[in-house]
Amino acid sequence: MKKYQDLIQIILFMGIITGFMAAMFVLKDKTFSEQENRVLNQTPKVTVKGITSGKWMEQFEACLTDQFPGRDTWVGIKSYSERLSGKTENNAVFFCQDDTLIKRFDEPDSELVEKNIMAVNQLVENTDLPVYFSLIPGAVSIWDEKLPKYAQNYDQRALIDEIYSKVNCKTVDTYSRLRQHKNEYIFYRTDHHWTTRGAYYGSTAIAEAFGMEVEPLDSYSSEVVSDSFYGTVYSSSGVRWVKPDVIEKFIPKEGKTVQKFVGDTPADGEFYDYEKLKVKDKYAFFFGGNTPLIKITSDTDRDKKLLVIRDSYSDSEIPFLTEYFSEIYMMDLRYYKFGVKYFLEKYDVDAVLVNYSVSNFVEDKNIVMAGK
Amino acid sequence: MVFSSIVFLYLYLPITLIIYFLTPARYRNIWLFIVNLIFYGWGEPVYIILMLASILLNYVAGLFIGKYREKKKKTAKNVLAINIVLNIGLLIFFKYIDFIIRCLKIIPFFAGMKELGVALPIGISFYTFQAMSYPIDVYKGETQYQKSFLKFGTYVALFPQLIAGPIVRYTDVAKDLEKREVHVTRIAKGIRKFMIGLAKKVLLANNIGQLWDVYNAMEPSGMSVVGAWIGAFAFTFQIYFDFSGYSDMAIGLGEMLGFSFPPNFDYPYISKSITEFWRRWHISLGTWFRDYVYIPLGGNRKGIKRQLLNIWIVWSLTGLWHGASVNFLLWGIYYGVLLTIEKLFLYKTLKKASSVFTHIYTMFFVVIGWMIFAIEDMRHLVKYLGVMFGIGSEGILSSQALYYLRDYGIVFVILIFACLPAGKYLYGKMKDSVKNLLVPAAIAIVLLLCTAYLVDSTYNPFLYFRF
């Protein structure tokens, strides 16, 4: 091999490594990654203790990789490369049919599941009100036909049956209802949530469990509020070759008032938050994001008050429930720290609904608060 | 610090190389000594002291032995003996003390002993062996003693081979420490070798390692026979590409800096016997034990019984060298037994047997060996090996095994190809005009792909923001 060929190789290699090093020095640290939905590590301050303990080096390395130029692009390259090498899974997300990304569901921690079941049973014991319990299966279970062949997942259907057999309250068969409509666009292809349409079917299962007559879907007019939604599964998969999701709304916000509670003090809240459609996390369109407690009053003729202890799947489902309940409280146990008992003493409701997606119910450590 | 990290590739390496190349030749050892200590101290800064102590210990011993070996042979011998005891003592204290205490606790008298919880200094097994080779070789008269502390320190702490080999002896680099040839052809050769190693580690070993992680975490009773073998082969590939990739990177970095390191792997998985396998696997360790343990014990010169005993001692130590745990000892003894059998009669038979059979025979025992190596928990190991032979398994073939076969099918094909000398052969046949295009393209692609995988490994979306 000729000498100038060697020189080319040296220049190429040194050029790439010094080029990126220079870029790192020149570029300013970013503080937040939308794609990853987290605060990025910043250059740590130099201290003697930090250096001698090795802590500084650790933080520095974390910062360096967080701030590496073109971070999101590298992640995209990696997932392409994985697909090229025949993989059907990247970062625990399956590449599925119809441009769909579905998060893998692994065997849950059985101890935590038992704890959460006990918390629900404790809640039933603490109150004389009727308690309803609904577990919402994910796309991994309802859309299992879209998964790659032989894909390995823990069976959510069996898990729901097992949990339902252990709780002492009325249960809602959301699974069967969603399964009946599996050929419709009921889950986002790039997010772990259900679509507004999926949420509608979920709400009909709840209405039936309460013995109410269900409103048909075509009694509402639908409106597309966003056609450029890339959700959380898109972020974690690193996949960049799928088309975005569409967010719809069915229920008009007219006739509803929303109050957000900080402590026991109410403040005005949004039924739909159009500002959120401009940022990455567009699902926050429904009620505008995390709040410990929200109260929705609607102009329905039915006079019934409901407490929903819930995760974010309820955000798109509650608008439909305003047809059946005149007052709905939505409680998020991650942020509402007074306990359900305190709430029930203070506020007036006719029934309690525990409404969780399967994956959150078996993973969330805050559900113990339901029994407190 | 490890080579396969962003901080090494995009900060440490460019700074180290650029300043090294710009520094006049006679000051380069000073720069190397400094960056060596930074490299070593990156993870556990306090252990720089241990490193310096190890350097000083062997440097002083070398001085004494070098001065007295002619006139006062006995004094030199005593110094060497003390030095070896101290070296091994350090290694035992930092690597094996808790293992020894755990073993002693089985005896009721010692049951009250507490483990010390000493954190294993990175690379101690490697650099202790490297440093020790020096006073021994000085004693044997194979090399002059080194007067300069700086040069000796640069050798012991030399960052390319510091933490994962090859085990470079002082005699390998004694000349390079005085004067090094650094020129374009050599640097480019080093870069090519480094890129091969980086690709082996990041693109192959880490990739297939994920599959082994899956099987290693699984309860063996839930596996099918085929699944257990997929897992075993996954680890077999992972350990080879991880280890040999690291050696290649070390050798390549050495070349860039002007050092020649001995080769460490020579396509071990094409071996036709276990004896041959160990001539091709981790060569620098095998020859170290041969020269510093096996031959001093008498080797094969004192009759077959003594030879077998020597083999067994060497292999028990080889096993333990890999880790302070019973399974590593077992793994060493396993090879001691296999090599004894080959030595006694099988090797001759194998030479006449068909190569299909000898390849299968060798890989079969190598793969089983890796399971003993990989699984520290004895009960888990027995169950896993059982499942590989259909005992307590969940059928022959499960959909789970099919899933992983399908997902890793292409990767397995690439891994098998990379184990063979075929790539090297094709490269040799290639026309220069093709090479001129292919090599730069390969350097760029491998470097960028590895960067993508390294960045992705810290990609950690926080999804619970909104559940």
Side-chain angles (χ1 to χ4, degrees):
Chain A
M1 204 172 281
K2 286 197 187 81
K3 207 171 178 180
Y4 77 90
Q5 284 299 335
D6 286 333
L7 202 58
I8 290 174
Q9 292 169 22
I10 296 171
I11 292 168
L12 183 68
F13 177 77
M14 294 301 293
I16 295 174
I17 59 175
T18 41
F20 277 106
M21 181 175 67
M24 279 191 284
F25 279 119
V26 172
L27 294 175
K28 265 198 178 156
D29 279 8
K30 281 186 200 157
T31 48
F32 186 79
S33 164
E34 276 220 320
Q35 208 55 257
E36 291 173 69
N37 208 350
R38 67 178 173 97
V39 176
L40 296 173
N41 285 296
Q42 308 292 306
T43 316
K45 275 208 187 83
V46 181
T47 59
V48 176
K49 210 180 158 202
I51 301 263
T52 51
S53 68
K55 201 109 197 124
W56 185 85
M57 287 80 132
E58 228 170 81
Q59 289 168 348
F60 181 77
E61 238 182 299
C63 159
L64 208 62
T65 36
D66 268 12
Q67 302 292 346
F68 197 75
R71 187 170 167 77
D72 290 341
T73 314
W74 294 112
V75 172
I77 292 174
K78 189 254 182 176
S79 68
Y80 268 112
S81 155
E82 287 289 276
R83 184 165 77 150
L84 267 179
S85 73
K87 303 274 179 72
T88 55
E89 187 185 339
N90 186 43
N91 299 352
V93 173
F94 293 112
F95 312 150
C96 304
Q97 287 167 22
D98 311 321
D99 248 9
T100 304
L101 303 171
I102 296 179
K103 189 155 171 24
R104 193 177 66 208
F105 183 67
D106 294 327
E107 183 174 353
D109 170 9
S110 54
E111 240 173 76
L112 182 59
V113 175
E114 286 304 320
K115 245 190 214 164
N116 289 347
I117 292 171
M118 269 164 49
V120 173
N121 285 335
Q122 187 61 48
L123 166 71
V124 176
E125 247 174 64
N126 289 350
T127 174
D128 297 330
L129 297 173
V131 177
Y132 292 77
F133 183 35
S134 164
L135 281 176
I136 306 159
V140 72
S141 163
I142 298 296
W143 277 357
D144 55 359
E145 284 145 41
K146 290 180 196 267
L147 291 169
K149 217 173 172 190
Y150 310 125
Q152 298 296 308
N153 283 296
Y154 196 75
D155 186 351
Q156 285 201 347
R157 170 88 236 226
L159 187 59
I160 293 173
D161 289 345
E162 191 201 322
I163 296 171
Y164 275 7
S165 73
K166 290 180 183 167
V167 292
N168 309 323
C169 58
K170 296 185 185 105
T171 56
V172 183
D173 189 6
T174 311
Y175 180 94
S176 304
R177 181 55 49 88
L178 289 174
R179 191 74 185 178
Q180 282 161 17
H181 298 278
K182 69 176 162 48
N183 293 325
E184 296 172 46
Y185 184 34
I186 53 174
F187 287 98
Y188 293 113
R189 292 176 299 96
T190 70
D191 194 69
H192 63 294
H193 291 111
W194 50 8
T195 60
T196 322
R197 196 173 286 265
Y200 163 75
Y201 292 120
S203 75
T204 62
I206 289 169
E208 276 176 16
F210 275 88
M212 298 193 256
E213 201 173 309
V214 168
E215 299 284 336
L217 186 61
D218 52 24
S219 65
Y220 310 113
S221 60
S222 89
E223 184 194 326
V224 171
V225 293
S226 171
D227 56 5
S228 56
F229 174 44
Y230 282 118
T232 54
V233 188
Y234 172 86
S235 294
S236 60
S237 68
V239 165
R240 297 295 176 258
W241 59 78
V242 296
K243 55 179 198 272
D245 269 305
V246 171
I247 300 179
E248 285 179 291
K249 80 170 177 64
F250 290 87
I251 301 290
K253 69 172 175 183
E254 284 71 31
K256 282 101 187 163
T257 40
V258 176
Q259 288 176 304
K260 289 186 169 190
F261 285 81
V262 182
D264 285 321
T265 333
D268 280 351
E270 296 280 350
F271 194 68
Y272 293 130
D273 188 348
Y274 282 83
E275 287 301 306
K276 289 292 191 294
L277 295 174
K278 293 174 192 159
V279 298
K280 166 137 196 323
D281 182 23
K282 297 185 170 48
Y283 187 80
F285 168 71
F286 303 99
F287 300 106
N290 295 313
T291 335
L293 186 68
I294 305 180
K295 179 185 181 186
I296 304 115
T297 318
S298 87
D299 56 0
T300 178
D301 344 317
R302 295 185 168 102
D303 180 26
K304 216 164 160 56
K305 295 168 188 161
L306 178 69
L307 166 66
V308 185
I309 298 167
R310 53 78 175 217
D311 65 14
S312 57
Y313 279 63
S314 294
D315 285 337
S316 50
E317 188 181 22
I318 296 291
F320 294 106
L321 292 184
T322 58
E323 301 281 278
Y324 311 103
F325 297 91
S326 50
E327 274 179 29
I328 300 174
Y329 291 92
M330 287 203 285
M331 183 188 287
D332 188 333
L333 292 180
R334 287 172 307 161
Y335 305 107
Y336 190 81
K337 291 303 174 201
F338 302 115
V340 178
K341 245 183 179 167
Y342 170 87
F343 174 89
L344 292 174
E345 277 163 20
K346 194 130 190 182
Y347 298 84
D348 172 34
V349 290
D350 306 316
V352 180
L353 167 67
V354 179
N355 196 30
Y356 271 87
S357 64
V358 174
S359 55
N360 281 327
F361 185 78
V362 301
E363 274 173 23
D364 191 349
K365 293 196 170 74
N366 299 293
I367 292 176
V368 285
M369 293 301 292
K372 287 185 178 157
Chain B
M1 206 184 289
V2 292
F3 301 150
S4 51
S5 68
I6 294 292
V7 69
F8 179 83
L9 280 176
Y10 291 102
L11 195 67
Y12 181 91
L13 188 59
I15 292 176
T16 299
L17 287 180
I18 289 171
I19 296 184
Y20 184 80
F21 293 146
L22 294 178
T23 307
R26 60 202 167 107
Y27 298 119
R28 281 182 179 168
N29 281 339
I30 300 174
W31 176 240
L32 264 190
F33 189 67
I34 295 168
V35 292
N36 285 344
L37 291 184
I38 294 174
F39 182 88
Y40 189 71
W42 188 259
E44 279 277 5
V46 286
Y47 282 148
I48 289 183
I49 298 163
L50 179 65
M51 163 68 66
L52 289 172
S54 181
I55 294 171
L56 191 67
L57 170 68
N58 290 289
Y59 169 73
V60 172
L63 278 186
F64 270 101
I65 294 166
K67 283 207 171 127
Y68 291 125
R69 66 175 293 271
E70 303 264 294
K71 290 175 228 152
K72 294 184 185 170
K73 190 100 185 170
K74 193 132 194 248
T75 314
K77 196 170 185 174
N78 287 339
V79 172
L80 181 65
I82 293 167
N83 172 267
I84 291 175
V85 168
L86 287 175
N87 271 310
I88 301 290
L90 281 178
L91 187 59
I92 288 179
F93 179 78
F94 283 101
K95 186 167 177 175
Y96 298 101
I97 195 76
D98 281 347
F99 174 60
I100 294 170
I101 291 172
R102 270 200 305 278
C103 291
L104 283 177
K105 273 164 102 174
I106 300 167
I107 306 165
F109 181 73
F110 294 108
M113 284 177 87
K114 280 207 181 102
E115 287 163 48
L116 302 180
V118 180
L120 180 72
I122 188 166
I124 190 169
S125 315
F126 284 95
Y127 71 72
T128 305
F129 272 33
Q130 279 166 189
M132 257 170 82
S133 75
Y134 164 70
I136 300 174
D137 283 349
V138 172
Y139 178 78
K140 289 201 288 187
E142 298 197 355
T143 184
Q144 287 292 314
Y145 65 93
Q146 175 60 263
K147 288 192 191 87
S148 156
F149 179 80
L150 180 77
K151 280 179 189 161
F152 183 69
T154 305
Y155 152 68
V156 175
L158 200 56
F159 76 85
Q161 34 76 346
L162 179 60
I163 55 174
I167 299 172
V168 177
R169 297 183 206 177
Y170 179 73
T171 47
D172 293 327
V173 293
K175 270 190 207 142
D176 294 337
L177 284 170
E178 307 300 329
K179 192 168 181 292
R180 291 191 283 282
E181 300 260 343
V182 180
H183 50 73
V184 168
T185 314
R186 198 166 188 193
I187 297 170
K189 190 179 158 201
I191 289 173
R192 290 195 293 271
K193 189 79 178 172
F194 179 77
M195 293 315 298
I196 291 172
L198 187 68
K200 276 183 174 177
K201 164 76 184 139
V202 178
L203 302 181
L204 300 182
N206 289 1
N207 208 322
I208 199 65
Q210 289 184 333
L211 182 56
W212 167 244
D213 288 346
V214 171
Y215 274 98
N216 193 25
M218 225 184 273
E219 194 43 50
S221 55
M223 287 176 207
S224 62
V225 175
V226 174
W229 280 93
I230 291 172
F233 269 101
F235 184 75
T236 301
F237 284 121
Q238 183 194 3
I239 184 112
Y240 170 59
F241 287 107
D242 197 280
F243 204 174
S244 77
Y246 227 86
S247 284
D248 287 344
M249 286 191 271
I251 293 167
L253 290 166
E255 284 289 332
M256 292 183 219
L257 300 171
F259 289 93
S260 297
F261 295 153
N264 213 17
F265 289 88
D266 183 20
Y267 303 102
Y269 290 163
I270 64 168
S271 304
K272 292 180 181 178
S273 67
I274 300 297
T275 311
E276 186 185 352
F277 173 75
W278 275 103
R279 275 188 215 129
R280 293 172 174 275
W281 179 276
H282 202 352
I283 300 164
S284 64
L285 181 72
T287 54
W288 198 97
F289 271 111
R290 185 194 65 204
D291 294 345
Y292 298 107
V293 182
Y294 181 69
I295 290 176
L297 283 174
N300 57 3
R301 289 161 294 154
K302 293 188 178 170
I304 184 77
K305 272 188 192 161
R306 182 61 191 265
Q307 187 190 357
L308 291 181
L309 177 69
N310 292 344
I311 290 177
W312 280 58
I313 291 173
V314 164
W315 284 95
S316 306
L317 291 176
T318 304
L320 274 180
W321 181 86
H322 284 84
S325 170
V326 177
N327 67 309
F328 292 112
L329 182 61
L330 209 62
W331 178 76
I333 293 170
Y334 169 85
Y335 275 110
V337 171
L338 285 173
L339 290 166
T340 306
I341 294 169
E342 286 197 355
K343 183 125 282 170
L344 288 178
F345 62 92
L346 195 61
Y347 193 64
K348 284 177 197 149
T349 322
L350 286 171
K351 282 211 154 168
K352 286 177 233 151
S354 92
S355 64
V356 176
F357 171 77
T358 52
H359 282 304
I360 293 174
Y361 152 82
T362 308
M363 280 316 289
F364 175 81
F365 284 106
V366 167
V367 171
I368 301 291
W370 286 133
M371 289 300 94
I372 302 173
F373 185 92
I375 304 173
E376 281 192 30
D377 178 358
M378 283 298 132
R379 249 173 277 162
H380 188 92
L381 172 65
V382 171
K383 272 197 225 162
Y384 197 101
L385 291 175
V387 172
M388 288 173 79
F389 297 101
I391 303 162
S393 71
E394 185 109 337
I396 302 291
L397 184 64
S398 60
S399 75
Q400 185 184 48
L402 282 171
Y403 175 73
Y404 290 120
L405 260 187
R406 200 263 328 276
D407 252 35
Y408 285 86
I410 296 175
V411 175
F412 270 119
V413 171
I414 295 170
L415 290 167
I416 292 168
F417 180 81
C419 283
L420 306 174
K424 198 177 176 184
Y425 175 79
L426 289 175
Y427 183 75
K429 289 263 165 189
M430 230 174 255
K431 282 191 185 136
D432 271 359
S433 56
V434 182
K435 277 187 198 169
N436 291 347
L437 282 176
L438 198 74
V439 175
I443 289 174
I445 291 171
V446 167
L447 192 51
L448 298 181
L449 262 187
C450 287
T451 307
Y453 276 79
L454 291 177
V455 171
D456 182 83
S457 68
T458 63
Y459 181 73
N460 180 19
F462 182 69
L463 302 178
Y464 289 85
F465 188 59
R466 274 190 68 78
F467 273 99

